[in-house]
Amino acid sequence: MALRNLAPNRTHWYTGEVCLKFPPKIVSPGLPALLLDKRRKSDFVDYSAPRLQIQTLLFYVLTQVTHILLKNMGLPLFVSQILAGLILRVPNVGDYRYFFIRSDDSILVLGAMGGFGYLFFLFLSGVKMDVSLTFKSGKKAVYIGFLTVLVPLLDCLITNKMFYPKDYFFNTNKFFLAVSYAGTSFPIIHNLLSELKILNSELGRLGLSAALVGDMVTLVLTICSLWMKERGEVGTKRALQDITKQFHLHAKFSSFILGLVVPDGPPLGSTLVEKLDPIISGFFLPIFATTCGIRVDPSSFKKDSPFRINQSIGAVVTVVVKFGVSLALAMFCKMPMRDSLALAFVMISKGIVEIGYYSNMSDSMVISKPHYAFLIYMSTFIAIIVPILVKWLYDPSRKYLCFQKRTIMNSKPNQELRVLGCVHIPGHVNSIINLLNVCYPTKENSLALDVLHLVKLSGRATPLFISHQKQELTTSDESYSENVVIAFKQFERHNAEVVSLNVFTAVSPPNLMYEDICNLAIEHSTCFILLPFHRRWYIDGSIESEDQTIRSLNCDILKMAPCSIGILVEGCHKLSTHTFRDTSSSESYSSYNIFVIFMGGKDDREALALAKRISQDESVSLTVIHLKAKSSIGTILDENDRALDDEMLSGIKGSMRYLEEQVSDGPETSYFLRSIVEDYQLFIVGRRYKYEDPQTSGLEHWCEFEEIGIIGDLLSSSDFIGNYSVLIVQQQQQRKS
């Protein structure tokens, strides 16, 4: 059956034929039935349902194989999806009959499914966006967002005017195309920054803010261009009458704007994203991207036209100008050259949003097949080179290369101790407060405490960093930190004039939280970061919770931190509820027993420096045990380390209880520690990562958590039962640039 199809192209109408088969073949009778059919009137792939299943499987396999080959270059999965479609479009890639990819009915079914996914992707992108942040963006982001859209747009129109001097400057169709070339897409830049793991970096925050502003400008210009297009077709009066129906022209805008109406974040926005994003991003959207690649017809360039060539030149010029404007603005803001170049590449990013835009224009016959092919090739090329160049140009960890020693050991005796405590759940609040009480802050040894409440980013695209000193807890977005602020404010009041407090909240992806921690530590010259252990126990010794995202974060901080670090393992096994002394209570322990294990090395020296500050509290009984090897064979400490160890030990022997114990191997160390764990409430040990000593030989094979070291892991194991907690200390790492 042949139907006449009328499709608009500018002010003309083109006709075409679409052939439909009746009755449609959807569900096959099964492969055995088809094989037994001697007449073989139909093949298995003639039925749309099994064909769609095999197509989806083929797309997935080809995409994953391509991604495996390209992921080491830092390319996003979207590039592999587009390349899979382009590969399937290559002539002679299998027989048309059995690859059944490029037939019209196959493309229609795949396009319908992909289009469905694309609409939901735009809807979820709108849900994750917080438009109110547009008005809170700094001047730098606003200028970059506006000018990187408007200047390239004007330049594209000027280029068009050069090619067509007799046309109006704001020619309807050319203005419509110019907006598509010059526009900025917030979802694409957000995905790029997330893939590169720089979303929380200084460059990432600036790029995201500028993209948010640019996307809003692009949306307004696109709506204006659509209205101008309709005005050119039906007249000004009719276009003004139908202005409220403007979004019906393109369903993508209605879905995106509907998403903007939905409140971002919990509870509604988070639930929608958590429920819909896996199926949309994992199934429907890849089909859409691959189908867009399949639709590219390289042979169409043989029937090229001057209009397509001129528009292609205009598109390239627009991208170049957009890059130049971004670079110039970044340098004007006195950003380093490499950072400015990286930001410029970020701002010209192209992705699935632009691909879908060009696909819609091709379906509406606004652009021709060769024009569509060129734009897809250009977008894919940009999507390939941008991640590679940004990754090469910008390394946020460079700023963590701190050549100044920020350690407890290098702090002056009467100098303020600057500590950063990290909180994930309410249980971490009491753990940090109790440990800080043990540190016994005084007027001579005051404490500057920064508390960072880390919250998982969910249902929104933009990370947040909130300073609770600059604004009160009034909005619902900040209510989740209210109890944290109240608890630490109470701690500050109980330690008036000896503790200064700042509380912050960071809402960000778990794999990027280390950026917030390290940035705050650098900004406030922190010398000690206190992290909670990822595992917690009930009072009977059973495991209460275990969060692998916290463990991954701790490992990242151990590698990146610009200062010393402590990981607190609280309430290991069969503990009372008063593991730590609570100085806020009217009752206090007559003696609180702390045990420091010293075997040598910089981490143990840092642990000993912390113990020296604690020893000033008369109610604390502090014991230092020096575990020595009976034989020096196998030790890796050099003469310089031994000299520093001796100097450190000589400074504490007269101020606290000091013991020496000789052990021959790891099992003997374990036996000794097991015999004394019930006598102490807190153990302080050095991490001593990759240290090999006779005192721990044989234990490294049983170490479950390398981030807390061999001794820390041993004390935290189920073999040890007692009323104690463990603080594992790592001195600031001097990383090479």
Side-chain angles (χ1 to χ4, degrees):
M1 177 179 178
L3 299 178
R4 303 293 291 180
N5 179 51
L6 301 179
N9 183 8
R10 302 181 183 91
T11 58
H12 304 286
W13 292 85
Y14 291 88
T15 62
E17 292 187 355
V18 176
C19 296
L20 302 177
K21 296 179 180 179
F22 288 96
K25 297 180 179 179
I26 300 175
V27 181
S28 73
L31 187 60
L34 290 174
L35 293 176
L36 294 174
D37 184 5
K38 296 182 180 180
R39 293 177 292 178
R40 297 298 300 273
K41 293 182 179 179
S42 59
D43 286 331
F44 182 71
V45 296
D46 288 338
Y47 296 88
S48 58
R51 183 177 62 213
L52 179 62
Q53 294 169 358
I54 298 176
Q55 287 171 332
T56 304
L57 178 63
L58 178 62
F59 286 2
Y60 175 80
V61 172
L62 187 56
T63 297
Q64 293 302 316
V65 171
T66 307
H67 190 57
I68 289 172
L69 298 175
L70 299 178
K71 67 179 180 180
N72 291 333
M73 299 171 61
L75 299 182
L77 184 60
F78 156 75
V79 172
S80 300
Q81 294 164 354
I82 286 290
L83 291 178
L86 295 176
I87 291 171
L88 290 171
R89 187 69 202 195
V90 174
N92 300 322
V93 178
D95 184 82
Y96 280 73
R97 179 181 179 85
Y98 293 102
F99 272 86
F100 46 84
I101 294 297
R102 289 170 281 185
S103 62
D104 291 338
D105 51 348
S106 292
I107 294 295
L108 288 174
V109 174
L110 291 169
M113 286 190 62
F116 175 81
Y118 182 67
L119 291 178
F120 266 92
F121 168 76
L122 293 174
F123 169 72
L124 292 178
S125 297
V127 170
K128 293 186 224 180
M129 288 178 65
D130 185 356
V131 182
S132 65
L133 294 178
T134 306
F135 307 102
K136 300 176 183 178
S137 302
K139 292 182 179 180
K140 187 191 300 185
V142 172
Y143 290 149
I144 294 174
F146 265 97
L147 295 179
T148 53
V149 175
L150 297 180
V151 175
L153 174 64
L154 292 174
D155 186 82
C156 185
L157 294 175
I158 292 172
T159 304
N160 288 330
K161 185 66 174 177
M162 292 172 59
F163 287 123
Y164 302 97
K166 296 182 180 180
D167 280 359
Y168 292 111
F169 185 75
F170 288 99
N171 179 278
T172 301
N173 291 306
K174 295 183 178 66
F175 181 78
F176 184 75
L177 292 171
V179 172
S180 70
Y181 305 151
T184 299
S185 173
F186 176 85
I188 299 307
I189 291 180
H190 175 269
N191 290 342
L192 171 67
L193 297 173
S194 298
E195 290 274 353
L196 296 176
K197 296 183 179 180
I198 58 174
L199 192 65
N200 280 12
S201 66
E202 185 178 355
L203 176 73
R205 290 182 183 276
L206 176 59
L208 208 59
S209 298
L212 184 59
V213 175
D215 202 325
M216 293 298 101
V217 175
T218 303
L219 179 61
V220 172
L221 290 173
T222 304
I223 294 172
C224 292
S225 67
L226 289 173
W227 182 84
M228 291 174 61
K229 185 174 183 294
E230 185 182 14
R231 173 177 170 270
E233 294 175 355
V234 300
T236 303
K237 183 177 180 180
R238 177 64 182 277
L240 288 173
Q241 292 174 348
D242 293 345
I243 195 168
T244 58
K245 302 178 181 179
Q246 198 61 231
F247 300 119
H248 292 213
L249 294 175
H250 286 269
K252 60 172 266 186
F253 295 117
S254 59
S255 62
F256 178 69
I257 293 175
L258 178 61
L260 291 177
V261 175
V262 177
D264 64 316
L268 182 57
S270 300
T271 303
L272 286 172
V273 172
E274 290 174 3
K275 298 296 183 183
L276 295 177
D277 194 58
I279 186 66
I280 298 302
S281 298
F283 180 72
F284 287 104
L285 204 59
I287 292 177
F288 178 75
T290 305
T291 304
C292 288
I294 293 174
R295 293 177 57 185
V296 173
D297 185 5
S299 63
S300 63
F301 288 114
K302 298 177 182 178
K303 304 176 183 178
D304 221 338
S305 66
F307 178 82
R308 200 285 304 170
I309 296 174
N310 296 338
Q311 283 297 314
S312 298
I313 295 173
V316 173
V317 170
T318 303
V319 172
V320 173
V321 171
K322 191 181 184 75
F323 178 87
V325 172
S326 303
L327 178 62
L329 290 172
M331 294 182 67
F332 179 77
C333 296
K334 298 181 180 180
M335 291 178 62
M337 175 56 75
R338 292 178 68 92
D339 293 5
S340 300
L341 287 169
L343 178 64
F345 280 113
V346 167
M347 296 308 296
I348 66 168
S349 302
K350 302 288 184 184
I352 192 67
V353 173
E354 288 78 14
I355 296 295
Y357 198 84
Y358 302 145
S359 177
N360 288 337
M361 288 195 292
S362 177
D363 291 339
S364 302
M365 295 187 180
V366 174
I367 59 176
S368 61
K369 286 186 177 181
H371 195 177
Y372 170 77
F374 174 82
L375 292 176
I376 296 297
Y377 286 141
M378 184 186 73
S379 299
T380 304
F381 175 74
I382 293 174
I384 290 174
I385 65 169
V386 164
I388 297 173
L389 293 175
V390 173
K391 190 175 182 180
W392 175 68
L393 288 168
Y394 186 71
D395 179 12
S397 65
R398 289 199 308 264
K399 61 185 174 184
Y400 306 147
L401 295 172
C402 184
F403 299 101
Q404 180 183 2
K405 292 184 178 180
R406 294 179 177 174
T407 66
I408 300 175
M409 184 176 168
N410 291 100
S411 300
K412 296 179 181 179
N414 296 325
Q415 184 180 4
E416 183 181 57
L417 180 64
R418 306 196 66 87
V419 176
L420 170 59
C422 298
V423 173
H424 295 272
I425 59 175
H428 296 157
V429 174
N430 289 334
S431 302
I432 293 177
I433 290 177
N434 291 336
L435 179 61
L436 294 176
N437 279 326
V438 172
C439 291
Y440 191 61
T442 64
K443 290 184 178 180
E444 293 76 19
N445 294 282
S446 59
L447 179 67
L449 175 62
D450 293 324
V451 177
L452 182 60
H453 185 201
L454 297 158
V455 181
K456 178 184 177 182
L457 182 70
S458 178
R460 55 164 52 103
T462 308
L464 300 176
F465 192 86
I466 305 167
S467 173
H468 297 293
Q469 284 64 50
K470 297 181 180 179
Q471 53 186 346
E472 297 181 357
L473 295 172
T474 56
T475 67
S476 59
D477 288 340
E478 300 164 9
S479 60
Y480 42 69
S481 292
E482 185 173 1
N483 292 334
V484 175
V485 176
I486 292 173
F488 280 100
K489 285 291 185 182
Q490 184 178 5
F491 169 73
E492 183 184 29
R493 285 194 297 270
H494 283 135
N495 295 273
E497 299 182 2
V498 300
V499 173
S500 60
L501 175 68
N502 291 306
V503 184
F504 305 89
T505 298
V507 184
S508 57
N511 65 328
L512 300 179
M513 285 179 177
Y514 71 91
E515 288 266 4
D516 294 309
I517 298 172
C518 293
N519 288 339
L520 187 59
I522 291 175
E523 182 180 347
H524 288 199
S525 301
T526 302
C527 66
F528 192 67
I529 298 175
L530 187 57
L531 303 171
F533 192 53
H534 70 279
R535 178 181 286 180
R536 293 177 62 83
W537 289 266
Y538 287 112
I539 194 171
D540 63 355
S542 60
I543 296 176
E544 175 187 353
S545 62
E546 186 166 1
D547 193 333
Q548 290 301 320
T549 60
I550 296 179
R551 185 187 181 192
S552 299
L553 174 62
N554 290 348
C555 293
D556 290 336
I557 295 296
L558 288 169
K559 296 175 184 176
M560 297 287 189
C563 60
S564 297
I565 305 165
I567 297 180
L568 178 61
V569 184
E570 191 202 13
C572 295
H573 309 287
K574 295 185 180 178
L575 303 182
S576 70
T577 57
H578 300 288
T579 301
F580 288 116
R581 174 172 59 100
D582 185 3
T583 59
S584 64
S585 174
S586 59
E587 300 179 0
S588 62
Y589 296 106
S590 59
S591 180
Y592 183 79
N593 299 320
I594 300 178
F595 196 79
V596 182
I597 301 173
F598 187 90
M599 290 187 290
K602 61 180 183 179
D603 291 348
D604 282 7
R605 292 194 293 271
E606 187 73 359
L608 204 55
L610 177 62
K612 287 178 67 175
R613 295 187 68 102
I614 297 174
S615 66
Q616 300 176 47
D617 187 351
E618 294 180 357
S619 64
V620 170
S621 174
L622 198 147
T623 302
V624 177
I625 181 74
H626 187 186
L627 289 179
K628 291 185 174 181
K630 293 180 179 179
S631 172
S632 61
I633 299 176
T635 183
I636 63 172
L637 291 176
D638 56 24
E639 293 298 327
N640 184 50
D641 266 331
R642 290 195 183 94
L644 292 173
D645 291 345
D646 293 339
E647 180 183 354
M648 192 72 182
L649 289 172
S650 64
I652 59 99
K653 288 181 180 179
S655 60
M656 61 188 74
R657 187 185 179 200
Y658 174 78
L659 303 173
E660 291 185 358
E661 181 76 19
Q662 289 192 337
V663 293
S664 58
D665 54 19
E668 191 170 332
T669 298
S670 176
Y671 178 80
F672 169 74
L673 294 178
R674 190 181 290 109
S675 67
I676 55 95
V677 292
E678 295 183 359
D679 300 330
Y680 298 90
Q681 286 80 47
L682 175 65
F683 286 82
I684 303 177
V685 302
R687 185 192 179 204
R688 308 183 83 249
Y689 181 57
K690 291 188 176 179
Y691 273 75
E692 297 178 3
D693 298 292
Q695 300 98 307
T696 58
S697 63
L699 297 178
E700 65 274 7
H701 303 296
W702 303 96
C703 183
E704 183 179 4
F705 305 115
E706 65 175 21
E707 66 269 22
I708 57 176
I710 295 175
I711 298 298
D713 184 83
L714 181 67
L715 291 169
S716 305
S717 68
S718 57
D719 296 334
F720 283 65
I721 298 176
N723 186 14
Y724 65 90
S725 294
V726 186
L727 179 63
I728 300 92
V729 177
Q730 174 182 283
Q731 194 180 72
Q732 175 190 10
Q733 302 293 302
Q734 297 297 327
R735 299 192 298 124
K736 297 180 180 180
S737 58

